[in-house]
Amino acid sequence: MTMTDPTPAEIIRFWIDEVGPKGWYSQSGDLDRDIRDRFTAAWIDAPRLAEAWAGTAEGSLAALILTDQFPRNMFRNDARAFSTDPLALRIARAALDAGHDLATPEPGRQFFYLPFEHSEELPDQDRSVALFAERMPGESLLHARIHRDTIAKFGRFPWRNEALGRTPTEAERMVMEAGGYGALVSGKLSLADLP
């Protein structure tokens, strides 16, 4: 650890207590900037920090927030938003094996499962749905199912195509023109209706 490293408690306090659910699910340029200013250096050093923190539930949760949540804000609409997803998956798998998720109360527990929900691999999606169904049922399960069904349909998330420089298929274009992920959540669009 260096003098400038945040502690796991600081990351958790910021994300869970200061930002909270209202901030997690809305877009805010101010929040994105705040996360970049406060945590980019830690994100760059995430492999070292994650290894140092991995032995506890608190440390694992902080490492998951740092690698899975923060980059989505820091690098919105940029490929870097997803660049530490493989590291987040490794952290999540080890944390689940250690039972760290069950030692973490809601709403923080969901961050152990979101790396699976963010994966573009169907087995990870199936695991996400199973984890939410068994260990944290509720509205999060709806989102897990939509993510899984999207990967089952397309093999990738259409809403990442632009950031990743991928050419969309016609069906993916239809999803994005209808409102993307929000259209699937609201029921305005159904994957079953797409070619």
Side-chain angles (χ1 to χ4, degrees):
M1 302 277 278
T2 70
M3 292 295 283
T4 58
D5 288 338
T7 65
E10 288 169 339
I11 288 176
I12 293 167
R13 187 168 45 252
F14 170 76
W15 192 243
I16 304 288
D17 300 331
E18 292 178 37
V19 176
K22 188 173 182 180
W24 300 337
Y25 306 116
S26 61
Q27 292 189 19
S28 162
D30 289 340
L31 176 60
D32 293 352
R33 201 169 17 266
D34 190 20
I35 294 171
R36 272 193 306 276
D37 291 347
R38 292 172 69 172
F39 299 107
T40 297
W43 177 81
I44 290 168
D45 208 15
R48 178 184 63 83
L49 293 173
E51 184 176 334
W53 295 345
T56 67
E58 179 186 63
S60 295
L61 176 58
L64 289 167
I65 293 168
L66 180 65
T67 58
D68 185 67
Q69 296 298 300
F70 284 176
R72 285 168 163 74
N73 289 83
M74 292 190 297
F75 308 116
R76 197 177 295 281
N77 303 317
D78 182 303
R80 291 174 294 174
F82 319 109
S83 63
T84 51
D85 283 5
L87 176 57
L89 264 173
R90 286 195 302 275
I91 296 165
R93 286 186 178 111
L96 291 175
D97 287 346
H100 292 328
D101 61 318
L102 296 176
T104 302
E106 297 181 25
R109 183 178 298 168
Q110 68 186 301
F111 299 110
F112 290 89
Y113 311 145
L114 287 174
F116 299 97
E117 185 175 305
H118 291 154
S119 171
E120 290 188 320
E121 299 294 329
L122 191 55
D124 292 331
Q125 290 295 323
D126 289 337
R127 189 166 189 195
S128 167
V129 170
L131 287 164
F132 276 112
E134 178 188 332
R135 301 179 181 185
M136 201 175 156
E139 187 179 349
S140 294
L141 181 56
L142 165 71
H143 294 279
R145 287 181 173 144
I146 292 170
H147 280 79
R148 188 221 22 228
D149 293 349
T150 301
I151 294 300
K153 177 82 173 175
F154 300 114
R156 62 189 189 176
F157 294 121
W159 41 89
R160 291 187 189 174
N161 286 344
E162 187 173 343
L164 294 173
R166 302 187 301 209
T167 303
T169 65
E170 183 56 35
E172 289 174 336
R173 199 174 286 110
M174 291 170 67
V175 170
M176 296 311 294
E177 287 172 0
Y181 181 70
L184 295 172
V185 173
S186 70
K188 176 181 172 186
L189 181 70
S190 169
L191 291 170
D193 296 334
L194 294 170

